[in-house]
Amino acid sequence: MSRELQDMKRGRDTAALFIAAGLAVVGAVVLWDSARLADLGGYSGLGPASVPRVVGFGLLGLALWTVIAALRGEFPERPAQNPAPVLWIVAGLAAQLMLLHAAGFSIATGILFAFTARGFGKRNMALSLSVGIALSFAVWCVFSQLLMLHLPAGPIEQLIFRRG
């Protein structure tokens, strides 16, 4: 069976229609939010709402384009999906959000790093966790100590940089 005949038999792409609906919802929310901004365009006519409006209309245009392509069956067939890596990364993000203030930036972000590494296939969680905590601590030092920006300090940060 030829590739064109297979594509014609496939018909509409339901997954692409869901993607189009998501794009339309995000575009509508961006446009609604930009309507609440004061449009202080001044002499140039551009203000704080200008770029969000362009993004919102762009997303709506992409949604329409996706609907047309989905109804025509123009999307290539996708391979089978493996949800496990995505779930590892989402679990890491959830853990970071829950632990950020309790454990501090370095530990919470180190856990996110380890879970993301696991999602990408790295099996040694102990190594990934220690590397993640070390890198996160370096980032914390740059932002907190050099740039004087506030990031949540946990036991590691308080051990090294005691506030007296």
Side-chain angles (χ1 to χ4, degrees):
M1 189 179 297
S2 73
R3 177 78 176 153
E4 290 138 7
L5 189 56
Q6 285 177 339
D7 288 343
M8 288 174 60
K9 283 189 171 186
R10 280 185 41 215
R12 71 178 188 178
D13 191 339
T14 308
L17 291 173
F18 278 108
I19 292 169
L23 286 169
V25 167
V26 171
V29 168
V30 169
L31 285 174
W32 173 76
D33 194 42
S34 70
R36 298 181 322 132
L37 295 172
D39 202 7
L40 306 170
Y43 68 91
S44 66
L46 296 175
S50 299
V51 172
R53 284 187 185 135
V54 170
V55 170
F57 283 120
L59 287 170
L60 290 177
L62 287 173
L64 180 64
W65 189 2
T66 304
V67 166
I68 292 168
L71 293 177
R72 289 181 179 169
E74 293 178 350
F75 283 98
E77 192 168 338
R78 291 171 292 281
Q81 299 297 310
N82 183 7
V86 174
L87 293 175
W88 275 104
I89 295 169
V90 169
L93 285 167
Q96 184 197 31
L97 287 172
M98 290 186 293
L99 295 173
L100 195 58
H101 290 289
F105 180 82
S106 297
I107 293 173
T109 307
I111 290 171
L112 170 61
F113 181 90
F115 276 49
T116 303
R118 177 65 179 91
F120 279 101
K122 187 74 174 168
R123 298 268 185 217
N124 190 345
M125 288 287 280
L127 176 64
S128 297
L129 183 61
S130 58
V131 168
I133 290 174
L135 289 173
S136 300
F137 180 71
V139 169
W140 184 88
C141 288
V142 168
F143 278 87
S144 180
Q145 301 302 305
L146 293 176
L147 299 175
M148 298 298 176
L149 297 172
H150 178 70
L151 291 175
I156 294 173
E157 296 88 356
Q158 291 175 0
L159 177 68
I160 296 180
F161 295 100
R162 288 195 179 122
R163 304 277 183 207

